[in-house]
Amino acid sequence: MILMCGPAGSGKSTYARGLERDGYVLLSFDDEAWQRGHRDHPVPEDAMQSIHEHLQNRLTELVTSGARVVVDTSFWSKSSRDRYRDLLAPLGVTPTIYYLDTPTGVLLERIGARTNAGPNDVHVALEQAHAYINGFQIPTPDEGPLHVIRYPDA
């Protein structure tokens, strides 16, 4: 069970798709938001909550059935990571956080190249991108299993 973690543009979705090719079931916040018609960031709060509820319900079903799962969302705050850990603890599952450590310049370059062509290409305004980066809470080993993936591998 893997929680992909990193700011917009860090490479989470690309990395998660590689894990999917290796047999993981991919649950993607951006894919679900796109399917629901959301084309702007940030997604409205009520929609964000609904999407996370959907992902958590699906995650519980998959983990209970023995599937290997990767959840692709920013997990920008410790509390957001804690919510998923708390959900999984009664099931006897401890997720590993895969944190994509990507330099700010690369994040901004990737975000700036987005064209709204799909769920992993949603345009983010420069001001919003800076807010995402500045507000991001980097995970630490005291949160549990942590795997850091550094640029250029991210």
Side-chain angles (χ1 to χ4, degrees), residues 27-50:
L27 298 178
S28 167
F29 181 91
D30 289 340
D31 287 352
E32 186 64 26
W34 188 267
Q35 288 174 0
R36 294 179 184 204
H38 298 285
R39 302 294 187 263
D40 298 309
H41 275 269
V43 172
E45 183 67 30
D46 60 333
M48 187 178 348
Q49 288 177 0
S50 176

Side-chain angles (χ1 to χ4, degrees), residues 6-37:
S10 62
K12 296 180 304 296
S13 297
T14 300
Y15 201 93
R17 298 253 183 252
L19 292 169
E20 183 181 35
R21 285 188 296 278
D22 290 340
Y24 281 80
V25 177
L26 174 58
L27 298 178
S28 167
F29 181 91
D30 289 340
D31 287 352
E32 186 64 26
W34 188 267
Q35 288 174 0
R36 294 179 184 204

Side-chain angles (χ1 to χ4, degrees), residues 106-122:
V106 173
L107 297 173
L108 294 172
E109 181 180 322
R110 288 176 177 174
I111 291 169
R114 292 181 174 184
T115 62
N116 263 18
N120 305 121
D121 192 48
V122 174

